[in-house]
Amino acid sequence: MKSLIIVPTYNELENIRRLLPELMALDPDIRVLVVDDNSPDGTGKLADELAAENERLSVLHRPGKLGLGSAYVAGFKYAIRQDVDCVFEMDADFSHDPAMIPRFLEQIDSCDVVIGSRYISGINVVNWPMSRLLLSYFANIYTRLVTGMTIRDTTAGYKCFRREVLEQLDLDEVRSDGYAFQIEMNFRCWRKGYRIREIPIIFVDRRSGTSKLSRGVINEAVWIPWWLRLQRLLRRM
Ligand SMILES: Nc1nc2c(ncn2[C@@H]2O[C@H](COP(=O)(O)OP(=O)(O)O)[C@@H](O)[C@H]2O)c(=O)[nH]1
Ligand SMILES: [Mg+2]
């Protein structure tokens, strides 16, 4: 399987210095796309330097911090123009263990979307403050109740899509940007009847750099599930 791993970045200099070589070393059929939002710390520049040395690594530069959701949409549009069979979402900060990539690839053979889930075998989150864990955990229960989706970890950001899924979704219609982006993508896939499978991962909080979680991101995750429910009622999704 040829795959493309999309890594959105904003100020992840020290992380990508280690992460990108590690991803490239996994398998010659793996390509990586960094989507950088003009990080002030020079992440984009380092990514360019690494890309100059490796033809399997590419970089998409955007003019400023435009949000995670639109970074992925830009990456997805890039991906479906390439010769790849599946497309990954992955954080740059090592919360997502690169060693799990082969597990995703094993599963994507027999389904359409694979989600690396923190909540299917107990709670597999390491080093998060309790407040953050509770927020995430209850956000997932809330989303299940409001939308009717049965996914256990619907805000997870370590995922793999078959390319056909991304080709069939209306990427220009996707409106949410933070954790809600993950919820909306899952909802769109679920409504289209795609086979979604969760596999357990262990999520470890970042050691380097800072989180970009904000109030706005949380607010969005509160109302988007209701908007999705409405879209479903109106049969628009
Ligand atoms: N391109 C881009 N990447 C972003 C943006 N916001 C967050 N990211 C990246 O998305 C990933 C997850 O963000 P992070 O701050 O670690 O979220 P957290 O793990 O939920 O605290 C990291 O690789 C970030 O660098 C953004 O606005 N644009
Ligand atoms: Mg993180």
Side-chain angles (χ1 to χ4, degrees), residues 12 91-96 128 132 179 203-206 208 210-212:
E12 303 286 4
D91 289 357
D93 59 4
F94 283 97
S95 287
H96 298 153
W128 255 3
R132 183 94 208 254
Y179 297 119
F203 181 100
V204 183
D205 195 21
R206 61 163 71 237
S208 181
T210 51
S211 168
K212 282 95 207 169

Side-chain angles (χ1 to χ4, degrees), residues 74-129:
F76 292 156
K77 288 182 176 174
Y78 171 95
I80 55 186
R81 293 195 304 268
Q82 311 295 314
D83 174 27
V84 294
D85 307 307
C86 58
V87 181
F88 282 82
E89 289 185 13
M90 184 182 202
D91 289 357
D93 59 4
F94 283 97
S95 287
H96 298 153
D97 182 359
M100 287 301 289
I101 297 275
R103 299 282 93 76
F104 282 82
L105 290 171
E106 277 162 28
Q107 299 293 327
I108 200 71
D109 228 18
S110 54
C111 65
D112 301 306
V113 183
V114 181
I115 299 176
S117 177
R118 295 162 290 187
Y119 307 125
I120 46 169
S121 58
I123 297 181
N124 288 328
V125 176
V126 179
N127 277 349
W128 255 3

Side-chain angles (χ1 to χ4, degrees), residues 91-181:
D91 289 357
D93 59 4
F94 283 97
S95 287
H96 298 153
D97 182 359
M100 287 301 289
I101 297 275
R103 299 282 93 76
F104 282 82
L105 290 171
E106 277 162 28
Q107 299 293 327
I108 200 71
D109 228 18
S110 54
C111 65
D112 301 306
V113 183
V114 181
I115 299 176
S117 177
R118 295 162 290 187
Y119 307 125
I120 46 169
S121 58
I123 297 181
N124 288 328
V125 176
V126 179
N127 277 349
W128 255 3
M130 185 53 84
S131 56
R132 183 94 208 254
L133 177 61
L134 289 174
L135 179 71
S136 170
Y137 193 76
F138 285 105
N140 271 291
I141 295 177
Y142 172 83
T143 303
R144 279 202 297 278
L145 289 174
V146 176
T147 63
M149 280 191 289
T150 50
I151 298 167
R152 304 293 302 180
D153 190 352
T154 188
T155 54
Y158 198 7
K159 297 156 92 158
C160 180
F161 300 88
R162 263 175 188 281
R163 77 161 297 133
E164 300 82 41
V165 174
L166 299 176
E167 281 170 341
Q168 294 304 317
L169 292 184
D170 253 328
L171 292 175
D172 287 319
E173 299 283 306
V174 176
R175 61 183 295 174
S176 36
D177 230 9
Y179 297 119
F181 169 76

